[in-house]
Amino acid sequence: MKASPRTVGVGLMILGALGLSLSLAAMADRLGRHNREADFPRWKFADALTAPEITYAGEPISIADGKTETGDPAVTVTYRGESISIPVGGRNQDRLPGMLRYSDWLQIFEMEQTRGRAHARKGHEEGAPARLVLVARQPAPGESDAKYLNRRAWVYDIVEFRKAGFEAATPTPEALPAPAPDARAVRTGAPPTSEFTLTPAFARWRVNFSALPSYERTWQYAAALSVTPRLSFPTNKFTDDGMAAMDWTWPAAGFSGLSIVVGLIVTAGTLVRSPMAPPAARPSSGAGGMGPPTPARVNPAR
């Protein structure tokens, strides 16, 4: 049985109203969750230190050239009686003094946690002490930055200097979660990796470039970007705006609204009646109004 236009119009309006109510409810829930999660902590980083001898929390820190266990060039960092070796990576600028010669691939700076997006430029979070961190970028194993840049295999050393006597007052550093699998990185020979070691003086995270997108909202990710060439930044997986948070609810609400409008137009069309046609004019007729009309007489030319 064929549905009437009015039935089709009313059906479109009902479906549109149901779809709009459901999509708006889901949209409000997604936006509320987005706004709650969007206020995650941010971090402010001070200018990188340039002196190879500094004092932090009353303890001296020494940065000097050294060697790794395999005899390769390294930077040796000594703090609170412990030493760690960072293999030399990137391009050293030997003509510059102090830490500036390593600035392309190694930096040390203070970091403060802010109070979220709205206060990222207004100072650090109250009660959150500043921390001193070191970050270094290593080229792909067996390669150098002067050769082909296999950035997915870059390795980052991220080190936090731990203050003596503050272990009970500050959270104990923990390992980062296991990185998400990345099939493309596996095909290039650089599957995501993440390691963590903890000593009384140092907390050390070691991750490769393939694993960075898994840690986008951590300070370790932000620190790694400071020694990453700007044109080689990883692609962000998350988006920080409300439109992305709405996802499917935005087009669903649009189609539902369009369905209501079309239903209104169709229904309104059934309420309009076409005007009655005027009566047809009677043709002229011969005598008595019967028979075919009398043709006009034409006088022949004289």
Side-chain angles (χ1 to χ4, degrees):
M1 181 177 180
K2 186 176 180 180
S4 65
R6 181 174 298 182
T7 302
V8 173
V10 173
L12 286 173
M13 287 191 292
I14 293 175
L15 290 176
L18 290 174
L20 189 62
S21 61
L22 292 175
S23 58
L24 287 180
M27 184 186 300
D29 178 68
R30 284 174 169 268
L31 286 175
R33 186 166 63 250
H34 165 76
N35 290 334
R36 291 191 298 270
E37 295 175 354
D39 201 31
F40 63 90
R42 267 77 167 174
W43 292 270
K44 294 177 62 177
F45 298 97
D47 293 336
L49 302 178
T50 58
E53 302 285 342
I54 59 176
T55 300
Y56 176 63
E59 298 282 348
I61 298 177
S62 173
I63 301 101
D65 292 332
K67 297 287 185 180
T68 63
E69 294 179 356
T70 58
D72 296 322
V75 172
T76 301
V77 181
T78 303
Y79 173 63
R80 292 181 57 191
E82 297 184 21
S83 296
I84 57 174
S85 292
I86 309 294
V88 171
R91 299 176 178 88
N92 284 343
Q93 304 176 58
D94 294 330
R95 290 179 295 179
L96 297 178
M99 296 293 297
L100 289 176
R101 56 181 168 164
Y102 308 127
S103 59
D104 177 67
W105 62 275
L106 183 148
Q107 294 184 20
I108 298 177
F109 41 74
E110 274 196 317
M111 172 191 70
E112 293 180 342
Q113 181 175 320
T114 70
R115 294 170 292 180
R117 178 172 55 183
H119 304 278
R121 299 181 180 179
K122 297 181 181 180
H124 65 279
E125 184 178 6
E126 184 177 356
R131 291 181 284 180
L132 187 69
V133 298
L134 175 151
V135 59
R137 174 177 56 88
Q138 309 296 325
E143 300 181 6
S144 71
D145 278 355
K147 299 180 180 179
Y148 167 73
L149 295 180
N150 181 14
R151 67 170 184 168
R152 289 183 176 274
W154 287 347
V155 178
Y156 294 86
D157 275 295
I158 305 165
V159 179
E160 178 182 350
F161 296 82
R162 305 187 65 195
K163 297 180 181 179
F166 282 77
E167 289 81 357
T170 57
T172 302
E174 297 180 351
L176 293 168
D182 188 337
R184 183 179 177 185
V186 172
R187 289 195 297 270
T188 61
T193 60
S194 179
E195 302 173 3
F196 175 69
T197 56
L198 182 66
T199 68
F202 300 105
R204 185 176 184 177
W205 295 265
R206 190 172 173 85
V207 301
N208 66 354
F209 184 95
S210 297
L212 281 183
S214 297
Y215 309 124
E216 283 175 339
R217 294 187 173 182
T218 65
W219 69 264
Q220 289 90 342
Y221 175 88
L225 294 187
S226 66
V227 291
T228 301
R230 186 169 295 275
L231 295 180
S232 299
F233 278 11
T235 302
N236 287 339
K237 288 187 175 182
F238 75 91
T239 52
D240 202 19
D241 56 33
M243 288 297 295
M246 287 189 287
D247 197 23
W248 62 269
T249 61
W250 172 248
F255 281 115
S256 298
L258 181 61
S259 176
I260 294 175
V261 172
V262 173
L264 284 171
I265 294 174
V266 173
T267 303
T270 63
L271 302 177
V272 178
R273 297 185 178 181
S274 58
M276 296 182 62
R282 286 188 175 185
S284 59
S285 59
M290 301 295 292
T294 302
R297 182 176 295 178
V298 180
N299 295 328
R302 292 184 180 180

